[in-house]
Amino acid sequence: MKNSVSLTALAVFSLITAVAAQAEINSYRVHGTVQQIDEANQQVTLAQDGVSELGWPMRTMTYKVNSNDALKGLAKGQPVDASFTADSPFSPVIHDINKTAH
């Protein structure tokens, strides 16, 4: 019984820690144009608008993408809107990317 209580307490603590860590990661939106797609490394390069919340100017930037499915149907020159998380300025990850008309 004592081991069961300890395991339950550990599981609850782990869940709380994971939720707290996730809360510290912010999500941002960006509009840009696809410059390059690297499916082998799950990356996309965008010529993008600035991201004012992060103080990022307009620029070309390569993002890691959380799945190759997000890259399917994209082509060089395609305008897109994307949402990404960035727990540091050097490791943004796109979680959602959608083609736009312009």
Side-chain angles (χ1 to χ4, degrees):
M1 178 74 170
K2 186 176 180 180
N3 285 343
S4 176
V5 172
S6 295
L7 287 175
T8 302
L10 179 61
V12 169
F13 176 76
S14 296
L15 180 62
I16 291 169
T17 303
V19 169
Q22 183 65 29
E24 294 174 12
I25 299 174
N26 294 315
S27 183
Y28 305 95
R29 302 256 334 135
V30 67
H31 176 78
T33 303
V34 175
Q35 300 297 298
Q36 183 176 10
I37 300 166
D38 181 353
E39 288 189 40
N41 293 305
Q42 290 184 276
Q43 296 179 336
V44 63
T45 301
L46 302 178
Q48 68 183 45
D49 294 342
V51 180
S52 59
E53 300 93 340
L54 296 172
W56 292 359
M58 289 177 61
R59 62 181 167 180
T60 299
M61 184 165 173
T62 300
Y63 290 88
K64 195 81 169 143
V65 179
N66 69 344
S67 78
N68 278 337
D69 289 341
L71 298 175
K72 290 194 187 313
L74 294 182
K76 186 175 179 180
Q78 176 71 52
V80 295
D81 285 328
S83 60
F84 67 95
T85 55
D87 56 353
S88 85
F90 307 106
S91 62
V93 177
I94 288 180
H95 297 279
D96 184 47
I97 189 165
N98 299 295
K99 299 180 216 176
T100 62
H102 48 60

Coordinates of all heavy atoms in Angstrom, one line a residue:
M1 N 0.8 -1.2 0.0 CA 0.0 0.0 0.0 C 0.9 1.3 0.0 O 0.6 2.2 -0.7 CB -0.9 0.0 1.2 CG -1.8 1.2 1.4 SD -3.1 1.1 0.1 CE -4.1 2.4 0.6
K2 N 2.0 1.2 0.8 CA 2.8 2.4 0.9 C 3.5 2.7 -0.5 O 3.6 3.9 -0.9 CB 3.9 2.1 1.9 CG 4.8 3.3 2.2 CD 5.8 3.1 3.3 CE 6.6 4.3 3.5 NZ 7.6 4.1 4.6
N3 N 3.9 1.7 -1.2 CA 4.4 1.9 -2.6 C 3.4 2.5 -3.5 O 3.7 3.3 -4.4 CB 5.0 0.6 -3.1 CG 6.3 0.2 -2.5 OD1 7.0 1.0 -1.9 ND2 6.7 -1.1 -2.6
S4 N 2.2 2.0 -3.4 CA 1.1 2.6 -4.3 C 0.9 4.0 -4.0 O 0.7 4.8 -4.9 CB -0.2 1.8 -4.0 OG -1.2 2.3 -4.7
V5 N 0.9 4.5 -2.7 CA 0.7 5.9 -2.4 C 1.9 6.7 -2.9 O 1.7 7.8 -3.5 CB 0.5 6.0 -0.9 CG1 0.6 7.5 -0.5 CG2 -0.8 5.4 -0.4
S6 N 3.1 6.2 -2.8 CA 4.3 6.8 -3.2 C 4.3 7.0 -4.8 O 4.6 8.1 -5.3 CB 5.6 6.1 -2.8 OG 5.7 6.1 -1.4
L7 N 3.9 6.0 -5.5 CA 3.8 6.1 -6.9 C 2.7 7.1 -7.4 O 2.9 7.8 -8.3 CB 3.5 4.7 -7.5 CG 4.7 3.7 -7.5 CD1 4.2 2.3 -8.0 CD2 5.9 4.2 -8.3
T8 N 1.6 7.1 -6.7 CA 0.6 8.1 -7.0 C 1.0 9.5 -6.7 O 0.8 10.4 -7.6 CB -0.7 7.8 -6.1 OG1 -1.1 6.4 -6.4 CG2 -1.8 8.8 -6.5
A9 N 1.7 9.7 -5.6 CA 2.2 11.0 -5.3 C 3.3 11.4 -6.4 O 3.3 12.6 -6.8 CB 2.9 11.0 -3.9
L10 N 4.1 10.5 -6.8 CA 5.1 10.8 -7.8 C 4.4 11.2 -9.1 O 4.8 12.1 -9.8 CB 6.1 9.6 -8.0 CG 7.2 9.8 -9.0 CD1 8.1 11.0 -8.7 CD2 8.0 8.5 -9.1
A11 N 3.4 10.4 -9.5 CA 2.7 10.7 -10.7 C 2.0 12.1 -10.7 O 2.1 12.8 -11.7 CB 1.6 9.6 -11.0
V12 N 1.4 12.4 -9.6 CA 0.8 13.7 -9.5 C 1.8 14.8 -9.6 O 1.6 15.8 -10.3 CB 0.0 13.8 -8.2 CG1 -0.5 15.2 -7.9 CG2 -1.2 12.9 -8.2
F13 N 2.9 14.7 -8.9 CA 4.0 15.7 -8.9 C 4.5 15.8 -10.3 O 4.7 17.0 -10.8 CB 5.1 15.3 -8.0 CG 6.3 16.2 -8.0 CD1 6.2 17.5 -7.4 CD2 7.5 15.9 -8.7 CE1 7.3 18.4 -7.5 CE2 8.5 16.7 -8.8 CZ 8.4 18.0 -8.2
S14 N 4.7 14.7 -11.1 CA 5.2 14.8 -12.4 C 4.2 15.5 -13.3 O 4.6 16.3 -14.2 CB 5.4 13.4 -13.0 OG 6.5 12.7 -12.2
L15 N 2.9 15.3 -13.2 CA 1.9 15.9 -14.0 C 1.9 17.4 -13.7 O 1.9 18.2 -14.6 CB 0.6 15.3 -13.7 CG -0.6 15.9 -14.4 CD1 -0.4 15.7 -15.9 CD2 -1.9 15.3 -14.0
I16 N 2.0 17.8 -12.5 CA 2.0 19.2 -12.1 C 3.2 19.9 -12.7 O 3.2 21.0 -13.2 CB 1.9 19.4 -10.6 CG1 0.6 19.0 -10.1 CG2 2.2 20.9 -10.2 CD1 0.4 18.9 -8.6
T17 N 4.4 19.3 -12.6 CA 5.6 19.8 -13.2 C 5.5 20.0 -14.7 O 5.9 21.0 -15.2 CB 6.8 18.9 -12.8 OG1 6.9 18.8 -11.4 CG2 8.1 19.5 -13.3
A18 N 5.0 19.0 -15.3 CA 4.8 19.1 -16.8 C 3.9 20.2 -17.2 O 4.1 20.9 -18.1 CB 4.3 17.7 -17.3
V19 N 2.8 20.3 -16.5 CA 1.8 21.4 -16.8 C 2.5 22.8 -16.6 O 2.3 23.7 -17.4 CB 0.5 21.3 -16.0 CG1 -0.4 22.5 -16.1 CG2 -0.2 20.0 -16.4
A20 N 3.2 22.9 -15.5 CA 3.9 24.2 -15.2 C 4.9 24.5 -16.3 O 5.0 25.7 -16.7 CB 4.5 24.1 -13.8
A21 N 5.7 23.5 -16.7 CA 6.7 23.7 -17.7 C 6.0 24.2 -19.0 O 6.5 25.0 -19.8 CB 7.5 22.5 -17.9
Q22 N 4.9 23.5 -19.4 CA 4.2 23.9 -20.6 C 3.6 25.3 -20.5 O 3.6 26.0 -21.5 CB 3.0 22.9 -20.9 CG 2.3 23.1 -22.1 CD 3.1 22.9 -23.4 OE1 4.0 22.1 -23.4 NE2 2.8 23.6 -24.4
A23 N 3.2 25.7 -19.4 CA 2.6 27.1 -19.2 C 3.7 28.2 -19.5 O 3.3 29.3 -19.9 CB 2.1 27.2 -17.8
E24 N 5.0 27.8 -19.4 CA 6.0 28.8 -19.6 C 6.3 29.0 -21.1 O 7.0 29.9 -21.4 CB 7.3 28.4 -18.8 CG 7.1 28.4 -17.3 CD 8.3 27.9 -16.6 OE1 9.4 27.7 -17.2 OE2 8.2 27.7 -15.4
I25 N 5.9 28.1 -21.9 CA 6.1 28.2 -23.3 C 5.0 28.9 -24.0 O 3.9 28.5 -23.9 CB 6.3 26.8 -23.9 CG1 7.5 26.1 -23.3 CG2 6.5 26.9 -25.4 CD1 7.7 24.6 -23.7
N26 N 5.3 30.0 -24.7 CA 4.3 30.8 -25.3 C 4.2 30.5 -26.8 O 5.1 30.0 -27.4 CB 4.6 32.3 -25.2 CG 4.6 32.8 -23.8 OD1 3.6 32.5 -23.0 ND2 5.6 33.5 -23.3
S27 N 3.0 30.7 -27.3 CA 2.7 30.4 -28.7 C 2.6 31.8 -29.4 O 2.0 32.7 -28.9 CB 1.4 29.6 -28.8 OG 1.1 29.3 -30.2
Y28 N 3.1 31.8 -30.7 CA 3.1 33.0 -31.5 C 2.6 32.7 -32.9 O 2.6 31.6 -33.3 CB 4.5 33.6 -31.5 CG 5.1 33.8 -30.2 CD1 5.9 32.9 -29.6 CD2 4.8 35.0 -29.4 CE1 6.5 33.1 -28.3 CE2 5.4 35.2 -28.2 CZ 6.2 34.2 -27.6 OH 6.7 34.4 -26.4
R29 N 2.2 33.8 -33.6 CA 1.8 33.6 -35.0 C 2.7 34.4 -35.9 O 3.2 35.4 -35.5 CB 0.3 34.1 -35.2 CG -0.7 33.5 -34.3 CD -1.6 32.5 -34.8 NE -2.0 32.5 -36.2 CZ -2.0 31.4 -36.9 NH1 -1.7 30.2 -36.4 NH2 -2.4 31.5 -38.2
V30 N 2.9 33.9 -37.1 CA 3.7 34.6 -38.1 C 3.2 34.4 -39.5 O 2.6 33.3 -39.7 CB 5.2 34.1 -38.0 CG1 5.4 32.7 -38.4 CG2 6.1 35.1 -38.7
H31 N 3.3 35.4 -40.3 CA 2.9 35.3 -41.7 C 4.2 35.4 -42.5 O 5.1 36.2 -42.2 CB 2.0 36.4 -42.1 CG 1.7 36.4 -43.6 ND1 0.7 35.5 -44.1 CD2 2.2 37.1 -44.6 CE1 0.7 35.7 -45.4 NE2 1.5 36.7 -45.7
G32 N 4.3 34.5 -43.5 CA 5.5 34.5 -44.4 C 5.3 33.8 -45.7 O 4.2 33.4 -46.0
T33 N 6.4 33.7 -46.4 CA 6.5 33.0 -47.7 C 7.5 31.9 -47.6 O 8.6 32.1 -47.2 CB 6.8 34.0 -48.8 OG1 5.9 35.0 -48.8 CG2 6.8 33.3 -50.2
V34 N 7.1 30.7 -48.0 CA 8.0 29.6 -48.0 C 9.2 29.8 -48.9 O 9.0 30.1 -50.1 CB 7.3 28.3 -48.4 CG1 8.3 27.1 -48.4 CG2 6.2 28.0 -47.4
Q35 N 10.4 29.7 -48.4 CA 11.6 29.8 -49.2 C 12.3 28.4 -49.5 O 12.9 28.2 -50.5 CB 12.7 30.7 -48.4 CG 12.2 32.1 -48.1 CD 11.9 32.8 -49.4 OE1 12.7 33.1 -50.2 NE2 10.6 33.2 -49.6
Q36 N 12.1 27.5 -48.5 CA 12.8 26.2 -48.6 C 12.0 25.2 -47.7 O 11.6 25.6 -46.6 CB 14.2 26.3 -48.3 CG 15.0 25.0 -48.4 CD 16.5 25.1 -48.1 OE1 16.9 26.2 -47.6 NE2 17.2 24.1 -48.5
I37 N 11.9 24.0 -48.2 CA 11.3 22.9 -47.4 C 12.4 21.8 -47.3 O 12.9 21.3 -48.3 CB 10.0 22.4 -48.1 CG1 9.0 23.5 -48.2 CG2 9.5 21.2 -47.3 CD1 7.8 23.2 -49.1
D38 N 12.6 21.4 -46.1 CA 13.6 20.3 -45.8 C 12.9 19.2 -45.1 O 12.9 19.2 -43.8 CB 14.8 20.8 -45.1 CG 15.9 19.8 -44.8 OD1 15.6 18.6 -45.1 OD2 16.9 20.2 -44.2
E39 N 12.2 18.3 -45.8 CA 11.4 17.3 -45.1 C 12.3 16.3 -44.3 O 11.9 15.8 -43.3 CB 10.6 16.5 -46.1 CG 9.4 17.3 -46.7 CD 8.5 16.5 -47.5 OE1 8.2 15.3 -47.1 OE2 8.0 17.0 -48.5
A40 N 13.5 16.0 -44.8 CA 14.4 15.1 -44.2 C 14.8 15.6 -42.8 O 14.9 14.7 -41.8 CB 15.7 14.9 -45.0
N41 N 14.9 16.9 -42.6 CA 15.2 17.4 -41.2 C 14.0 18.1 -40.6 O 14.2 18.8 -39.5 CB 16.4 18.4 -41.4 CG 17.6 17.7 -41.8 OD1 18.1 16.8 -41.1 ND2 18.2 18.1 -42.9
Q42 N 12.8 17.9 -41.1 CA 11.6 18.5 -40.6 C 11.8 20.0 -40.4 O 11.5 20.5 -39.3 CB 11.1 17.8 -39.3 CG 10.6 16.4 -39.6 CD 10.1 15.8 -38.3 OE1 10.9 15.3 -37.5 NE2 8.8 15.9 -38.1
Q43 N 12.2 20.7 -41.4 CA 12.4 22.2 -41.3 C 11.8 22.9 -42.5 O 11.7 22.4 -43.6 CB 13.9 22.5 -41.3 CG 14.6 22.0 -40.1 CD 16.1 22.3 -40.1 OE1 16.7 22.5 -41.1 NE2 16.6 22.3 -38.9
V44 N 11.4 24.1 -42.3 CA 10.9 25.0 -43.3 C 11.5 26.4 -43.1 O 11.7 26.9 -41.9 CB 9.3 25.1 -43.3 CG1 8.8 25.7 -42.0 CG2 8.8 25.9 -44.5
T45 N 11.9 27.0 -44.2 CA 12.5 28.4 -44.1 C 11.5 29.3 -44.6 O 10.9 29.1 -45.7 CB 13.8 28.5 -44.9 OG1 14.7 27.5 -44.4 CG2 14.4 29.8 -44.8
L46 N 11.2 30.4 -43.9 CA 10.2 31.4 -44.2 C 10.8 32.8 -44.3 O 11.6 33.1 -43.5 CB 9.1 31.5 -43.2 CG 8.3 30.2 -42.8 CD1 7.3 30.5 -41.7 CD2 7.6 29.7 -44.1
A47 N 10.5 33.5 -45.4 CA 10.7 35.0 -45.4 C 9.5 35.5 -44.7 O 8.4 35.4 -45.2 CB 10.8 35.5 -46.8
Q48 N 9.6 36.1 -43.5 CA 8.5 36.4 -42.7 C 8.4 37.8 -42.2 O 9.4 38.6 -42.2 CB 8.6 35.5 -41.4 CG 9.7 35.8 -40.5 CD 9.8 34.9 -39.3 OE1 9.8 33.7 -39.5 NE2 10.0 35.5 -38.2
D49 N 7.2 38.1 -41.8 CA 6.9 39.4 -41.2 C 7.6 39.4 -39.8 O 7.9 38.3 -39.3 CB 5.4 39.7 -41.0 CG 4.7 39.8 -42.3 OD1 5.4 40.1 -43.3 OD2 3.5 39.7 -42.4
G50 N 7.7 40.5 -39.1 CA 8.2 40.6 -37.8 C 7.3 39.9 -36.8 O 6.1 39.8 -37.0
V51 N 7.8 39.6 -35.7 CA 7.0 39.0 -34.5 C 7.2 40.0 -33.4 O 8.2 39.9 -32.7 CB 7.4 37.6 -34.1 CG1 6.6 37.1 -33.0 CG2 7.4 36.7 -35.3
S52 N 6.3 41.0 -33.3 CA 6.5 42.1 -32.3 C 6.6 41.6 -30.9 O 7.3 42.2 -30.1 CB 5.3 43.1 -32.5 OG 4.1 42.5 -32.2
E53 N 5.9 40.5 -30.5 CA 5.9 40.1 -29.1 C 7.3 39.6 -28.7 O 7.7 39.6 -27.5 CB 4.9 38.9 -28.9 CG 3.5 39.2 -29.2 CD 3.1 38.8 -30.6 OE1 4.0 38.7 -31.5 OE2 1.9 38.7 -30.9
L54 N 8.1 39.2 -29.7 CA 9.5 38.7 -29.4 C 10.5 39.7 -29.8 O 11.7 39.5 -29.6 CB 9.7 37.4 -30.2 CG 8.9 36.2 -29.7 CD1 9.1 35.0 -30.6 CD2 9.2 35.9 -28.3
G55 N 10.1 40.9 -30.4 CA 11.0 41.9 -30.9 C 11.8 41.4 -32.1 O 12.9 42.0 -32.4
W56 N 11.2 40.5 -32.9 CA 11.9 40.0 -34.1 C 11.5 40.9 -35.3 O 10.3 41.1 -35.5 CB 11.5 38.6 -34.4 CG 11.9 37.5 -33.4 CD1 12.7 37.7 -32.3 CD2 11.7 36.2 -33.5 NE1 12.9 36.5 -31.7 CE2 12.3 35.5 -32.4 CE3 10.9 35.4 -34.4 CZ2 12.2 34.2 -32.2 CZ3 10.9 34.0 -34.1 CH2 11.5 33.4 -33.0
P57 N 12.4 41.4 -36.1 CA 12.1 42.1 -37.3 C 11.7 41.2 -38.4 O 11.8 40.0 -38.3 CB 13.4 42.8 -37.6 CG 14.5 41.8 -37.1 CD 13.9 41.2 -35.8
M58 N 11.3 41.8 -39.5 CA 11.1 41.0 -40.7 C 12.4 40.3 -41.1 O 13.5 41.0 -40.9 CB 10.7 41.9 -41.9 CG 9.3 42.5 -41.8 SD 8.9 43.6 -43.2 CE 9.1 42.5 -44.6
R59 N 12.4 39.1 -41.5 CA 13.6 38.3 -41.8 C 13.3 37.0 -42.4 O 12.1 36.6 -42.5 CB 14.4 38.2 -40.5 CG 13.7 37.3 -39.4 CD 14.6 37.2 -38.3 NE 13.9 36.7 -37.1 CZ 14.5 36.5 -35.9 NH1 15.8 36.8 -35.8 NH2 13.8 36.0 -34.9
T60 N 14.3 36.3 -42.8 CA 14.2 34.9 -43.3 C 14.7 34.0 -42.2 O 15.8 34.3 -41.7 CB 15.0 34.7 -44.6 OG1 14.5 35.6 -45.6 CG2 14.9 33.3 -45.1
M61 N 13.9 33.0 -41.8 CA 14.2 32.2 -40.7 C 13.9 30.7 -40.9 O 12.8 30.5 -41.5 CB 13.5 32.7 -39.4 CG 13.8 32.0 -38.2 SD 13.3 33.0 -36.8 CE 13.6 31.8 -35.5
T62 N 14.7 29.8 -40.5 CA 14.4 28.4 -40.6 C 13.8 27.9 -39.3 O 14.4 28.2 -38.2 CB 15.7 27.6 -40.9 OG1 16.2 28.1 -42.2 CG2 15.4 26.1 -41.0
Y63 N 12.7 27.2 -39.4 CA 12.0 26.7 -38.2 C 12.0 25.2 -38.3 O 11.9 24.6 -39.3 CB 10.5 27.1 -38.2 CG 10.2 28.5 -38.0 CD1 10.2 29.4 -39.0 CD2 9.9 29.0 -36.7 CE1 9.9 30.8 -38.7 CE2 9.7 30.3 -36.4 CZ 9.7 31.2 -37.5 OH 9.4 32.5 -37.2
K64 N 12.1 24.5 -37.1 CA 11.8 23.1 -37.0 C 10.3 23.0 -37.0 O 9.6 23.9 -36.6 CB 12.4 22.7 -35.6 CG 12.5 21.2 -35.5 CD 13.8 20.7 -36.1 CE 14.0 19.3 -35.8 NZ 14.6 18.5 -36.8
V65 N 9.8 21.9 -37.6 CA 8.4 21.6 -37.7 C 8.1 20.3 -36.9 O 8.9 19.4 -37.0 CB 8.0 21.5 -39.2 CG1 6.5 21.2 -39.3 CG2 8.3 22.8 -39.9
N66 N 7.0 20.3 -36.1 CA 6.8 19.2 -35.2 C 6.4 17.9 -36.0 O 6.4 16.9 -35.3 CB 5.8 19.5 -34.1 CG 4.4 19.7 -34.6 OD1 4.2 19.9 -35.8 ND2 3.5 19.7 -33.7
S67 N 6.1 18.0 -37.3 CA 5.8 16.7 -38.0 C 5.9 17.0 -39.5 O 5.7 18.1 -40.0 CB 4.4 16.2 -37.7 OG 3.4 17.0 -38.4
N68 N 6.3 16.0 -40.2 CA 6.4 16.1 -41.7 C 5.0 16.3 -42.3 O 4.9 16.9 -43.4 CB 7.0 14.9 -42.3 CG 8.5 14.9 -42.2 OD1 9.1 16.0 -42.1 ND2 9.1 13.8 -42.3
D69 N 3.9 15.9 -41.6 CA 2.6 16.2 -42.1 C 2.3 17.7 -42.3 O 1.6 18.1 -43.2 CB 1.5 15.6 -41.2 CG 1.5 14.0 -41.3 OD1 2.0 13.5 -42.2 OD2 1.0 13.4 -40.3
A70 N 2.9 18.5 -41.5 CA 2.7 19.9 -41.5 C 3.3 20.5 -42.8 O 2.9 21.5 -43.3 CB 3.3 20.6 -40.3
L71 N 4.3 19.8 -43.4 CA 5.0 20.3 -44.6 C 4.3 19.8 -45.9 O 4.6 20.4 -46.9 CB 6.4 19.8 -44.6 CG 7.3 20.3 -43.4 CD1 8.7 19.6 -43.5 CD2 7.4 21.8 -43.4
K72 N 3.4 18.8 -45.8 CA 2.8 18.3 -47.0 C 1.9 19.3 -47.6 O 1.2 20.1 -47.0 CB 1.9 17.1 -46.6 CG 2.8 15.9 -46.2 CD 2.0 14.6 -46.2 CE 2.7 13.4 -45.6 NZ 4.0 13.1 -46.1
G73 N 2.1 19.4 -48.9 CA 1.3 20.4 -49.7 C 1.8 21.8 -49.8 O 1.3 22.6 -50.5
L74 N 2.9 22.0 -49.1 CA 3.6 23.3 -49.2 C 4.6 23.4 -50.4 O 5.1 22.3 -50.7 CB 4.4 23.6 -47.9 CG 3.6 23.8 -46.6 CD1 4.5 24.2 -45.5 CD2 2.5 24.9 -46.8
A75 N 4.7 24.5 -50.9 CA 5.7 24.7 -52.0 C 6.4 26.0 -51.9 O 5.9 27.0 -51.2 CB 4.9 24.7 -53.4
K76 N 7.6 26.0 -52.4 CA 8.4 27.3 -52.4 C 7.6 28.4 -53.1 O 6.9 28.2 -54.1 CB 9.7 27.1 -53.2 CG 10.6 28.2 -53.1 CD 12.0 27.9 -53.8 CE 12.9 29.1 -53.7 NZ 14.2 28.9 -54.4
G77 N 7.6 29.6 -52.4 CA 6.8 30.7 -52.9 C 5.4 30.8 -52.3 O 4.7 31.8 -52.5
Q78 N 5.0 29.8 -51.6 CA 3.6 29.7 -51.0 C 3.5 30.6 -49.8 O 4.3 30.5 -48.9 CB 3.3 28.3 -50.6 CG 2.0 28.1 -49.9 CD 0.8 28.3 -50.9 OE1 0.8 27.7 -51.9 NE2 -0.1 29.2 -50.5
P79 N 2.6 31.6 -49.8 CA 2.3 32.4 -48.6 C 1.7 31.5 -47.5 O 0.8 30.7 -47.8 CB 1.4 33.5 -49.0 CG 1.0 33.2 -50.4 CD 1.7 32.0 -50.9
V80 N 2.1 31.7 -46.3 CA 1.6 30.8 -45.2 C 1.4 31.7 -43.9 O 2.0 32.7 -43.7 CB 2.5 29.6 -44.8 CG1 2.6 28.7 -46.0 CG2 3.9 30.1 -44.4
D81 N 0.5 31.2 -43.1 CA 0.4 31.6 -41.7 C 0.8 30.4 -40.8 O 0.4 29.3 -41.1 CB -1.1 32.0 -41.3 CG -1.4 33.4 -41.9 OD1 -0.6 34.2 -42.1 OD2 -2.6 33.5 -42.3
A82 N 1.6 30.7 -39.8 CA 2.0 29.6 -38.9 C 1.9 30.0 -37.5 O 2.0 31.2 -37.1 CB 3.5 29.2 -39.3
S83 N 1.8 29.0 -36.6 CA 1.9 29.2 -35.2 C 3.0 28.4 -34.7 O 3.3 27.3 -35.2 CB 0.6 28.9 -34.5 OG 0.3 27.5 -34.6
F84 N 3.8 29.0 -33.8 CA 5.0 28.3 -33.3 C 5.1 28.6 -31.8 O 4.6 29.6 -31.3 CB 6.2 28.8 -34.0 CG 6.6 30.2 -33.9 CD1 7.6 30.6 -32.9 CD2 6.1 31.2 -34.6 CE1 8.0 31.9 -32.7 CE2 6.4 32.5 -34.5 CZ 7.4 32.9 -33.5
T85 N 5.9 27.8 -31.1 CA 6.3 28.0 -29.8 C 7.8 28.3 -29.8 O 8.5 27.8 -30.6 CB 6.0 26.8 -28.9 OG1 6.6 25.6 -29.4 CG2 4.5 26.6 -28.7
A86 N 8.2 29.0 -28.8 CA 9.7 29.3 -28.6 C 10.0 29.4 -27.2 O 9.7 30.4 -26.5 CB 10.0 30.6 -29.3
D87 N 10.6 28.4 -26.7 CA 11.1 28.4 -25.3 C 12.4 29.2 -25.2 O 12.9 29.5 -24.1 CB 11.1 27.0 -24.6 CG 12.0 26.1 -25.4 OD1 12.5 26.4 -26.5 OD2 12.2 25.0 -24.9
S88 N 13.0 29.4 -26.3 CA 14.2 30.3 -26.4 C 14.2 30.9 -27.9 O 13.6 30.3 -28.8 CB 15.5 29.6 -26.1 OG 16.0 29.0 -27.3
P89 N 14.8 32.0 -28.1 CA 14.9 32.5 -29.5 C 15.6 31.6 -30.5 O 15.5 31.8 -31.7 CB 15.6 33.8 -29.3 CG 15.7 34.1 -27.9 CD 15.5 32.8 -27.2
F90 N 16.3 30.6 -30.0 CA 17.1 29.8 -30.9 C 16.4 28.4 -31.2 O 17.0 27.6 -31.9 CB 18.5 29.6 -30.3 CG 19.2 30.9 -29.9 CD1 19.3 31.3 -28.6 CD2 19.6 31.7 -30.9 CE1 19.9 32.5 -28.3 CE2 20.2 32.9 -30.6 CZ 20.3 33.3 -29.3
S91 N 15.3 28.2 -30.6 CA 14.6 26.9 -30.9 C 13.1 27.0 -31.1 O 12.3 26.3 -30.5 CB 14.9 26.0 -29.7 OG 14.3 26.6 -28.5
P92 N 12.7 27.9 -32.0 CA 11.2 27.9 -32.3 C 10.8 26.7 -33.1 O 11.5 26.1 -33.9 CB 11.1 29.2 -33.2 CG 12.4 29.3 -33.8 CD 13.4 28.8 -32.9
V93 N 9.6 26.2 -32.8 CA 9.0 25.0 -33.4 C 7.6 25.3 -33.9 O 6.8 25.7 -33.2 CB 9.0 23.8 -32.4 CG1 8.3 22.6 -33.1 CG2 10.3 23.5 -31.9
I94 N 7.4 25.1 -35.2 CA 6.1 25.4 -35.8 C 5.2 24.1 -35.5 O 5.6 23.0 -35.7 CB 6.2 25.6 -37.3 CG1 6.8 26.9 -37.6 CG2 4.8 25.4 -38.0 CD1 7.0 27.3 -39.1
H95 N 4.0 24.4 -35.0 CA 3.1 23.4 -34.7 C 1.9 23.4 -35.7 O 1.2 22.4 -35.8 CB 2.5 23.6 -33.3 CG 3.6 23.4 -32.3 ND1 4.1 22.2 -31.8 CD2 4.4 24.4 -31.6 CE1 5.1 22.4 -30.9 NE2 5.2 23.7 -30.8
D96 N 1.7 24.5 -36.4 CA 0.6 24.5 -37.3 C 1.0 25.5 -38.4 O 1.5 26.6 -38.1 CB -0.7 25.0 -36.6 CG -1.9 25.1 -37.5 OD1 -2.1 24.1 -38.2 OD2 -2.6 26.1 -37.5
I97 N 0.8 25.1 -39.7 CA 1.2 26.0 -40.8 C 0.1 25.8 -41.9 O -0.3 24.6 -42.2 CB 2.6 25.7 -41.4 CG1 3.0 26.7 -42.4 CG2 2.7 24.2 -41.8 CD1 4.5 26.7 -42.7
N98 N -0.4 26.9 -42.4 CA -1.6 26.9 -43.3 C -1.3 27.8 -44.5 O -0.8 28.9 -44.3 CB -2.8 27.3 -42.7 CG -3.2 26.4 -41.5 OD1 -3.5 25.3 -41.7 ND2 -3.2 26.9 -40.3
K99 N -1.6 27.3 -45.7 CA -1.5 28.1 -46.9 C -2.5 29.3 -46.8 O -3.6 29.2 -46.3 CB -1.8 27.3 -48.1 CG -0.9 26.2 -48.4 CD -1.3 25.5 -49.6 CE -1.1 24.0 -49.5 NZ -1.6 23.3 -50.7
T100 N -2.0 30.5 -47.3 CA -2.9 31.6 -47.4 C -3.0 32.1 -48.9 O -2.1 31.8 -49.7 CB -2.5 32.8 -46.5 OG1 -1.2 33.2 -46.9 CG2 -2.4 32.3 -45.0
A101 N -3.9 33.0 -49.1 CA -4.1 33.5 -50.5 C -3.0 34.6 -50.8 O -2.6 34.7 -51.9 CB -5.4 34.2 -50.6
H102 N -2.5 35.3 -49.7 CA -1.5 36.3 -49.9 C -0.7 36.6 -48.7 O -1.0 36.2 -47.6 CB -2.0 37.6 -50.5 CG -3.2 38.1 -49.8 ND1 -3.3 38.5 -48.5 CD2 -4.5 38.4 -50.3 CE1 -4.5 38.9 -48.2 NE2 -5.2 38.9 -49.2

